[in-house]
Amino acid sequence: MTRSAIELPVTADDRRIARLAALAIGLTLAEAAIPSPIPGVKPGLANIVILLVLLQYGWRAAAWVSVLRLLAGGLLLGSLFAPGFWLAAAGALVSLSVLGLARHLPDRYFGPVSLSVLAAFGHIGGQLALAGIWLLPAAALLKLLPVFAAAALIFGAVNGVIVARLLAGPVSSGRQSGSCTPPSIP
Amino acid sequence: MILRAGDMGVLLLGGGLVAALTVYAWGGDRGDTAVIRAAGQVVKTAPLTHAQSVSIDGPLGTTRIEIEPGRARVAADPSPRQLCVKQGWLTLSGQTALCLPNQVSLEIRGRVPAYDTLGY
């Protein structure tokens, strides 16, 4: 009955999560090259992947991709377990919790843009909460609050629109009304 | 359909939140320094950056002033009516707590002074 070789059974699910996590990690790395005036203000491109995973494969898969992205991104950028890593971890945790709740919103009215904006606010909220408790005096953070919130709103909305376009698919949906131009996916 | 009805609501709420935070954080002149006086003389000027406690001796006893990031208050005072203690936390430039019986005052200052002088 016992086998000598250790074999880890890999399911199709595992492969898919690994593939999507790799995508998210790639975006994290690409994003790290973009200069930012204030640390913490980033487009959060990897969240596009996480949101897509959430909408297509459920919350569990999204959580896996998020955690894998966090760890591997930390390893590759050399920030694993550094303060910045913990801030990102707190942001990801709150963002995932928010997504876990928000995905139960009726999707007739709330599309990817809502989810993305809420997740972005959760992300920045988690980061700022940890930073306020742990790193910086709250008074210093207070002045930056509007900047972070505005960035979350803008980048969250843009990412949400990208997710919505990607989900719409390359198949031109010539339904009843609206634009007839084929969606161009960047 | 990229934007659904609820999405507009979320975006509007988000915009409202950003506006509210802007007014909260940047509107009004939030103080950055606490000036403590005893018997009219400045005894201590402390930045509102880190928590500390300052004890000042007056004619009635000791007044204890507490400073925290972004705010300060008179935590304890021997005066009979406790007016300066009841004022609570002071955050804005120009706010002052006077403990007249004990001749101690706590004033918050920002970058722009709220007034030139005060006469009692």
Side-chain angles (χ1 to χ4, degrees):
Chain A
M1 289 295 266
T2 49
R3 285 192 196 174
S4 54
I6 296 169
E7 226 176 85
L8 294 172
V10 182
T11 63
D13 232 25
D14 296 339
R15 288 185 202 282
R16 191 168 53 218
I17 285 175
R19 202 170 55 237
L20 291 164
L23 201 57
I25 294 161
L27 285 175
T28 303
L29 289 185
E31 195 177 72
I34 302 172
S36 159
I38 302 170
V41 174
K42 284 189 209 168
L45 295 175
N47 295 327
I48 295 173
V49 179
I50 289 165
L51 202 56
L52 276 174
V53 174
L54 176 86
L55 291 171
Q56 293 196 308
Y57 305 110
W59 187 84
R60 246 178 78 87
W64 267 113
V65 170
S66 179
V67 169
L68 287 173
R69 174 200 80 94
L70 202 63
L71 286 173
L75 265 178
L76 290 169
L77 294 173
S79 66
L80 193 66
F81 305 137
F85 170 83
W86 293 115
L87 291 182
L93 191 73
V94 176
S95 168
L96 278 173
S97 319
V98 168
L99 281 177
L101 293 174
R103 81 202 171 102
H104 296 300
L105 289 170
D107 66 352
R108 204 174 119 81
Y109 300 112
F110 297 94
V113 176
S114 288
L115 292 182
S116 179
V117 168
L118 291 174
F121 274 119
H123 220 281
I124 207 67
Q127 291 194 45
L128 288 178
L130 184 63
I133 294 167
W134 180 34
L135 293 175
L136 285 166
L141 278 179
L142 197 67
K143 295 269 175 196
L144 286 176
L145 222 50
V147 179
F148 285 128
L153 181 65
I154 293 165
F155 290 133
V158 169
N159 288 350
V161 169
I162 292 174
V163 170
R165 294 298 288 265
L166 287 174
L167 280 178
V171 193
S172 70
S173 51
R175 298 253 169 91
Q176 27 200 352
S177 61
S179 65
C180 290
T181 52
S184 59
I185 293 156
Chain B
M1 270 292 259
I2 285 177
L3 275 183
R4 298 170 203 175
D7 293 343
M8 295 306 288
V10 169
L11 287 177
L12 282 178
L13 273 181
L17 179 70
V18 171
L21 282 175
T22 308
V23 171
Y24 175 67
W26 295 346
D29 191 11
R30 305 189 75 81
D32 50 24
T33 316
V35 178
I36 300 165
R37 287 193 182 83
Q41 304 296 313
V42 174
V43 289
K44 191 173 171 75
T45 307
L48 299 181
T49 50
H50 55 277
Q52 57 176 312
S53 186
V54 182
S55 291
I56 308 292
D57 289 321
L60 288 185
T62 304
T63 299
R64 197 161 55 78
I65 287 166
E66 239 172 56
I67 295 171
E68 276 191 9
R71 58 184 194 169
R73 69 167 175 180
V74 179
D77 184 69
S79 60
R81 289 202 280 170
Q82 299 283 304
L83 290 177
C84 55
V85 180
K86 286 175 186 163
Q87 261 185 285
W89 291 104
L90 310 180
T91 57
L92 295 178
S93 172
Q95 284 186 318
T96 310
L98 301 174
C99 303
L100 286 182
N102 209 26
Q103 296 178 11
V104 173
S105 77
L106 166 67
E107 182 193 343
I108 305 293
R109 279 205 191 146
R111 244 166 300 153
V112 187
Y115 37 75
D116 296 332
T117 184
L118 271 184
Y120 313 125

